[in-house]
């Protein structure tokens, strides 16, 4: 394994870091409230960072999302890339790629996903969906939603179509979330109708690209599993950035704030807490890198994606709690920047699936692979 960024990945990461640090300031984030930053999204798309995701791969996207996480920039970057650009590029038909990718590249279209599918909507024989998805991140900004029905078939739903109702909801992190209500809403099946268009991994955990085409339910589950694995890897990368940003703020605070005539950072308890947070952050980062690298190499990575999700969920909580704790009373201020990292870390934990749930899924996958 070699996680060294390519020249293209390094350039894109550097540009993302500059844009996020310049525009995702505390003042702008506070002004955005629970909505997204339209100007920042426009800048990212104008710089070509959304379009670059197809070239830099999932590992490149993880690197870009780290930079977003450091600043908790409120844009639908992860959702639109993983549920839109990568999903259509990897699983769409030639016609779907030609039609759907250009607006996703330039940001005029924004995608999100109703993932993971706890209980998907039902479809009739005419490709119309009915049901409710209680929570979809960035849905208020989205023009397209990738929806998995009850049989794990993936459908592209347009939010402007009749039968689609978007009901805003507030969540822990300000992700412009909403409830998706479908009442015989028209859907477009990702990859078309034929099973020959879905040569994707066979297990829901996303065990990698298989050369043989799947058929029927196996094909649908495989495509769903592949998108879910990619999304978990991407959001784990986002969590790595959230944790790195929280830790950086804690380090800055404890090295400049004095107690009893010396910096807080000289206290052994503070040092140990920060060191543990650093190790947890690195574990999140390296497991996300491994899963993304294997995806880009065309290798099986279902177990690695679940491992990254588990670290992002369990260790992510520890890091953002430590970051807030190391700020002392300041960390209790809801308007302090570190509190935003705390909220994002908790939201990502919930979105990835709690640690015990992800661990159970990983165990089931390993047992299944061991019995084959």
């Amino acid at each position: 394994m070699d996680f060294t960024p390519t020249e293209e990945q390094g350039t894109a990461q550097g540009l993302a870091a500059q844009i996020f640090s310049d525009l995702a300031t505390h003042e702008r984030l506070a002004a955005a409230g629970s909505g997204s930053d339209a100007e920042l999204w426009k800048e990212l798309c104008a710089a070509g960072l959304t379009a670059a995701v197809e070239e830099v791969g999932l590992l490149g996207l993880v690197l870009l999302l780290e930079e977003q996480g450091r600043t908790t920039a409120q844009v639908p970057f992860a959702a639109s890339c993983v549920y839109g650009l990568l999903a259509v590029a990897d699983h769409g038909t030639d016609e779907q790629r030609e039609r759907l990718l250009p607006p996703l590249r330039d940001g005029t279209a924004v995608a999100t996903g109703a993932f993971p599918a706890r209980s998907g909507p039902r479809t009739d024989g005419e490709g119309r969906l009915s049901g409710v998805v209680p929570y979809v991140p960035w849905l208020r900004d989205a023009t397209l939603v990738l929806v998995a029905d009850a049989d794990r078939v993936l459908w592209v739903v347009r939010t402007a179509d009749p039968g689609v109702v978007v009901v805003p909801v507030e969540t822990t992190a300000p992700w412009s979330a909403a409830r998706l209500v479908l009442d015989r809403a028209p859907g477009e099946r990702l990859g078309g109708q034929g099973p020959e268009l879905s040569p994707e991994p066979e297990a829901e955990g996303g065990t990698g690209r298989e050369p043989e085409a799947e058929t029927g339910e196996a094909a649908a589950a495989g495509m769903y599993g592949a998108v879910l694995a990619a999304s978990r890897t991407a959001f784990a990368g986002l969590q790595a950035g959230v944790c790195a940003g929280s830790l950086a703020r804690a380090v800055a605070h404890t090295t400049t704030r004095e107690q009893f005539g010396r910096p807080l950072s000289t206290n052994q308890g503070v040092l140990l807490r920060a060191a543990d947070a650093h190790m947890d952050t690195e574990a999140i980062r390296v497991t996300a890198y491994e899963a993304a690298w294997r995806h880009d190499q065309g290798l099986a990575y279902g177990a690695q994606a679940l491992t990254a999700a588990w670290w992002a969920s369990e260790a992510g909580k520890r890091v953002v709690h430590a970051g807030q704790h190391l700020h002392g009373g300041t960390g209790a201020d809801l308007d302090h920047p570190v509190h935003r990292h705390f909220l994002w870390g908790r939201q990502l934990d919930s979105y990835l699936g709690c640690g015990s749930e992800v661990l159970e899924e990983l165990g089931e996958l390993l047992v299944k692979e061991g019995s084959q």
Side-chain angles (χ1 to χ4, degrees), residues 225-294:
V227 174
L228 179 58
S231 67
R232 280 171 163 163
T233 303
F235 280 97
L238 183 62
Q239 182 76 301
V242 170
C243 291
S246 174
L247 183 58
R249 292 188 181 279
V251 169
H253 175 80
T254 56
T255 53
T256 56
R257 184 69 175 266
E258 292 190 355
Q259 188 178 56
F260 305 119
R262 60 177 185 170
L264 290 172
S265 60
T266 59
N267 294 321
Q268 188 178 40
V270 172
L271 290 171
L272 292 174
R273 192 79 188 275
D276 286 342
H278 171 73
M279 295 303 296
D280 274 338
T281 301
E282 289 302 301
I284 299 169
R285 177 182 289 116
V286 74
T287 52
Y289 284 6
E290 181 184 8
W293 178 84
R294 291 182 66 89

Side-chain angles (χ1 to χ4, degrees), residues 51-297:
V53 170
E54 292 175 85
E55 300 297 327
V56 300
L58 186 55
L59 179 56
L61 177 58
V62 166
L63 294 172
L64 298 178
L65 292 175
E66 271 195 81
E67 301 305 327
Q68 179 186 1
R70 291 178 198 276
T71 59
T72 61
Q74 289 176 202
V75 286
F77 194 29
S80 194
C81 287
V82 77
Y83 297 124
L85 277 165
L86 292 183
V88 174
D90 287 349
H91 309 295
T93 64
D94 290 340
E95 188 278 331
Q96 285 174 330
R97 294 187 189 102
E98 183 178 355
R99 173 168 46 87
L100 297 176
L101 287 178
L104 287 168
R105 291 174 183 139
D106 63 24
T108 54
V110 175
T112 188
F115 281 71
R118 306 296 182 185
S119 58
R122 295 287 177 180
T123 54
D124 60 18
E126 301 176 353
R128 294 185 177 276
L129 292 84
S130 298
V132 178
V133 183
Y135 159 75
V136 181
W138 305 108
L139 182 57
R140 281 180 260 169
D141 298 328
T143 55
L144 304 173
V145 190
L146 190 62
V147 179
D149 67 17
D151 297 318
R152 296 295 191 260
V153 176
L154 299 185
W155 301 86
V156 178
V157 175
R158 291 164 179 78
T159 56
D161 281 350
V164 181
V165 179
V166 175
V167 183
V169 296
E170 296 301 328
T171 57
T172 302
W175 284 5
S176 294
R179 180 182 298 109
L180 179 65
V181 182
L182 303 174
D183 183 11
R184 289 185 53 78
E188 175 184 354
R189 182 167 176 171
L190 185 65
Q193 296 297 327
E196 71 277 6
L197 296 174
S198 304
E200 297 304 325
E202 61 183 5
E204 184 170 306
T207 56
R209 296 184 177 84
E210 299 292 343
E212 301 85 2
E214 301 284 352
T215 59
E217 294 181 0
M223 188 181 294
Y224 168 80
V227 174
L228 179 58
S231 67
R232 280 171 163 163
T233 303
F235 280 97
L238 183 62
Q239 182 76 301
V242 170
C243 291
S246 174
L247 183 58
R249 292 188 181 279
V251 169
H253 175 80
T254 56
T255 53
T256 56
R257 184 69 175 266
E258 292 190 355
Q259 188 178 56
F260 305 119
R262 60 177 185 170
L264 290 172
S265 60
T266 59
N267 294 321
Q268 188 178 40
V270 172
L271 290 171
L272 292 174
R273 192 79 188 275
D276 286 342
H278 171 73
M279 295 303 296
D280 274 338
T281 301
E282 289 302 301
I284 299 169
R285 177 182 289 116
V286 74
T287 52
Y289 284 6
E290 181 184 8
W293 178 84
R294 291 182 66 89
H295 168 278
D296 293 344
Q297 296 298 313

